[in-house]
Amino acid sequence: KETYGSIEEALEAMQPDENGVSGVTNVTILGDNVTLPADSEEIVIPEGVKFEVKEDANLVIPEETELVNKGELLVGGEISGDGTIDNSDGTIDMGNGAIKSEIAEGKEGTLKDLVLVETGDGNYFTSLEEAVKDSNANEVTVMGDVSLKENVVIPEDVTLIIPEDATLTVPEGI
């Protein structure tokens, strides 16, 4: 594993060479409030690269900055800021993380087990279990194919929405 002294060094190392091959296949964000460079209009996670925001870490995407995901974005912590994520060529695995609403409203592409929660602070969660724990949630919208992992009690003041293009699977025994 290679350790970089700054986010800029890590971003530079993962960019593909003239043959289109990235020398780095994994980038992990460990720090609290790691901010992408504000002077970059577009930052690309190349195909074949896993970019992970660890639990308790926060990746900040500044205004006017777009994170273009062509690889795999793993969110265990939080992504916030006023920038955007273009996920039309990559995947986002939400893990136990959250993407703040100002980022998530513009996302596209393939999302794994994503549950959207309309809350006072606009969080997005990866499981129904986590979503209903948010004390500000008054509406929980299931996006994509979601499978329950444990028993869930939907509070009486919360509305569960399952759109036609979504599936909520309740395994036997739950």
Side-chain angles (χ1 to χ4, degrees):
K1 273 188 172 178
E2 182 131 4
T3 303
Y4 299 97
S6 69
I7 185 67
E8 290 83 1
E9 289 177 18
L11 293 171
E12 180 66 31
M14 74 179 185
Q15 295 311 307
D17 62 17
E18 62 275 353
N19 298 318
V21 178
S22 176
V24 175
T25 55
N26 290 295
V27 173
T28 303
I29 304 298
L30 299 171
D32 197 22
N33 293 319
V34 174
T35 302
L36 293 177
D39 58 352
S40 301
E41 287 183 19
E42 183 178 280
I43 296 169
V44 178
I45 300 171
E47 184 177 344
V49 173
K50 288 184 181 180
F51 192 91
E52 181 176 9
V53 180
K54 283 289 208 188
E55 190 174 325
D56 297 326
N58 180 29
L59 178 67
V60 179
I61 303 175
E63 188 174 8
E64 305 296 321
T65 299
E66 180 175 54
L67 180 62
V68 178
N69 180 29
K70 294 182 178 182
E72 186 172 3
L73 179 58
L74 308 167
V75 186
E78 182 175 286
I79 298 178
S80 64
D82 295 318
T84 59
I85 297 174
D86 176 352
N87 191 52
S88 53
D89 293 325
T91 60
I92 297 177
D93 185 341
M94 290 296 294
N96 292 318
I99 297 178
K100 293 295 191 172
S101 64
E102 62 270 16
I103 300 282
E105 286 172 1
K107 72 181 168 303
E108 303 172 13
T110 304
L111 300 169
K112 299 177 182 177
D113 289 340
L114 184 65
V115 176
L116 299 183
V117 183
E118 300 299 329
T119 68
D121 50 1
N123 284 329
Y124 287 67
F125 292 90
T126 182
S127 70
L128 188 59
E129 296 87 348
E130 289 298 313
V132 297
K133 290 178 187 174
D134 188 317
S135 61
N136 294 320
N138 57 11
E139 200 173 82
V140 176
T141 303
V142 174
M143 304 289 288
D145 298 324
V146 176
S147 186
L148 291 182
K149 297 173 180 91
E150 61 187 54
N151 289 332
V152 176
V153 175
I154 308 292
E156 77 177 49
D157 60 340
V158 174
T159 303
L160 176 63
I161 300 170
I162 306 171
E164 285 184 25
D165 60 347
T167 305
L168 177 62
T169 302
V170 181
E172 191 173 326
I174 291 185

